[in-house]
Amino acid sequence: MIFSGGEVVRGMKAIVLNEYGGPDDLTLTDLPEPKVGPDAILVRVKAAGVNPVDWKVGAGYLDPVLDAHFPLVPGWDVAGVVERTGPDAKEFAPGDEVIGYVRKDWAQNGTYAELVAAPVRTLARKPAALSWQQAAGLPLAGLTAYQSLKRLGVGEGDTVLIHAAAGGVGSLAVQIAAAWGARVIGTASERNHDFLRELGAEPVVYGEGLADRVRELAPGGVDAAFDFVGGESIDVSQQVLKDSTRVLSIVDAEVMAKGGHYLFVRPDPADLAALADLADAGKLTVGVDRAVPLAETAEAWRLSQSGRTRGKVVIDVS
Ligand SMILES: NC(=O)c1ccc[n+]([C@@H]2O[C@H](COP(=O)([O-])OP(=O)(O)OC[C@H]3O[C@@H](n4cnc5c(N)ncnc54)[C@H](OP(=O)(O)O)[C@@H]3O)[C@@H](O)[C@H]2O)c1
């Protein structure tokens, strides 16, 4: 409970930034329960996924395109249980288990909290096959992977190259592409090669000579390539693609000047439900590298900032 001007309002624990900053500026605090709009759901958070964009928003890198209001609760990914619904949010009922990529039009009331208000357009039902931690790692990275592969029309018989295949987005893209009948070549450091094989990819080491290593595996070239890390990925991709326009980046919008595609992931309940179905069909799982309690969110950000995590980092809130 929080006392506000003599009135008692229900409260919650949350992680906040009081101004733009990094891991050391994250504070565990008490906040009032979020307001729930007519087409929104109040979700009791079981776990919140950590994505690089969380600390990029926190640092102010997105300030030119996204308003931020402080205190700011970071986080866009959630898995949890419906606590109550807005008056026109009949898609869900209290007790339903849901997942969401809860990106709103400004940054303020995120998912690193015990409760989050989520518009219905950001949610789908939680796949039963995934644990709470795994489910929390699925929405943003899974949607990015799914929408990227769809954008380039990946399907049966294609050979695709995925840069940063061991990361959050990459590890999900490998599995979805394989489920759609594609052959997948994925880049990662050696220590992640067994992980990539388990997901269904043929691993190659990145760095000097990458184009040659990909040509050895696919002498006729690849049909589509995905840049999930930046750096040399777009140029290397265009050296090994049959058609140099079938390259997509989620990191570098300059790809468009080179004839390729740029994508910024959108909340989409149908795409999210399709991901949940793939998980329940046993074709998609989420590798959780580390789960930390809410009070240790700073550690989760440091891990994510290292750029070396395998699969997902999540915050266990329950
Ligand atoms: N535009 C969008 O909508 C969108 C959506 C999601 C993410 N993103 C961005 O996309 C990037 C990836 O996101 P994420 O969540 O997948 O990140 P992540 O989980 O932090 O990625 C970590 C992975 O990157 C790999 N890696 C690091 N350097 C590499 C290199 N040079 N070549 C190949 N792999 C390398 C690491 O593998 P090793 O340890 O084996 O090196 C590690 O497994 C981030 O910049 C993120 O902000 C954009």
Side-chain angles (χ1 to χ4, degrees):
M1 294 288 180
I2 290 182
F3 292 90
S4 157
E7 195 186 329
V8 178
V9 291
R10 292 209 293 167
M12 64 172 188
K13 295 266 181 236
I15 289 288
V16 298
L17 282 171
N18 289 307
E19 56 185 6
Y20 282 136
D24 294 340
D25 304 301
L26 295 168
T27 312
L28 183 65
T29 192
D30 291 300
L31 287 181
E33 183 179 294
K35 293 176 184 171
V36 182
D39 60 348
I41 300 286
L42 186 67
V43 178
R44 183 156 291 278
V45 180
K46 291 282 191 181
V50 174
N51 290 285
V53 75
D54 299 348
W55 48 263
K56 292 178 186 180
V57 169
Y61 301 159
L62 274 72
D63 192 71
V65 295
L66 186 73
D67 274 330
H69 302 288
F70 298 94
L72 183 157
V73 180
W76 285 345
D77 263 349
V78 70
V81 179
V82 174
E83 181 102 344
R84 64 184 165 84
T85 64
D88 187 19
K90 300 297 177 208
E91 291 89 339
F92 298 97
D96 286 350
E97 299 184 346
V98 293
I99 55 174
Y101 163 38
V102 192
R103 175 158 69 82
K104 303 169 190 169
D105 294 335
W106 66 95
Q108 183 177 22
N109 303 117
T111 58
Y112 295 8
E114 289 176 328
L115 294 164
V116 65
V120 165
R121 65 180 170 79
T122 66
L123 298 173
R125 286 173 197 285
K126 171 188 171 288
L130 300 184
S131 69
W132 286 113
Q133 291 178 5
Q134 290 175 314
L138 182 62
L140 190 154
L143 285 169
T144 307
Y146 185 91
Q147 291 170 6
S148 295
L149 293 163
K150 231 173 40 172
R151 179 78 63 89
L152 292 196
V154 168
E156 192 76 40
D158 282 339
T159 298
V160 304
L161 173 61
I162 294 180
H163 297 271
V169 178
S171 61
L172 294 163
V174 167
Q175 298 173 78
I176 298 165
W180 291 353
R183 176 188 173 204
V184 184
I185 298 170
T187 73
S189 57
E190 190 105 40
R191 70 193 176 93
N192 283 324
H193 283 196
D194 283 343
F195 176 63
L196 291 199
R197 286 189 195 96
E198 282 166 26
L199 299 177
E202 296 165 52
V204 282
V205 176
Y206 53 82
E208 186 77 33
L210 174 58
D212 291 335
R213 288 190 288 283
V214 173
R215 275 194 212 99
E216 268 174 43
L217 290 172
V222 302
D223 298 292
F226 297 89
D227 166 26
F228 296 152
V229 65
E232 305 302 307
S233 305
I234 297 166
D235 293 340
V236 170
S237 296
Q238 292 194 309
Q239 289 167 34
V240 299
L241 275 164
K242 293 175 190 166
D243 168 355
S244 68
T245 66
R246 287 193 80 199
V247 58
L248 179 148
S249 181
I250 60 169
V251 180
D252 188 354
E254 286 300 305
V255 69
M256 291 185 287
K258 298 177 179 177
H261 303 250
Y262 174 73
L263 179 135
F264 198 99
V265 57
R266 295 181 182 180
D268 185 311
D271 289 355
L272 197 53
L275 286 165
D277 287 346
L278 276 173
D280 278 338
K283 293 180 178 165
L284 182 66
T285 191
V286 179
V288 175
D289 189 330
R290 271 283 288 283
V292 302
L294 191 59
E296 290 169 30
T297 298
E299 177 59 12
W301 273 22
R302 286 187 200 102
L303 278 169
S304 175
Q305 288 174 337
S306 75
R308 308 309 307 280
T309 49
R310 174 189 296 169
K312 296 294 303 179
V313 175
V314 301
I315 300 166
D316 198 340
V317 181
S318 57

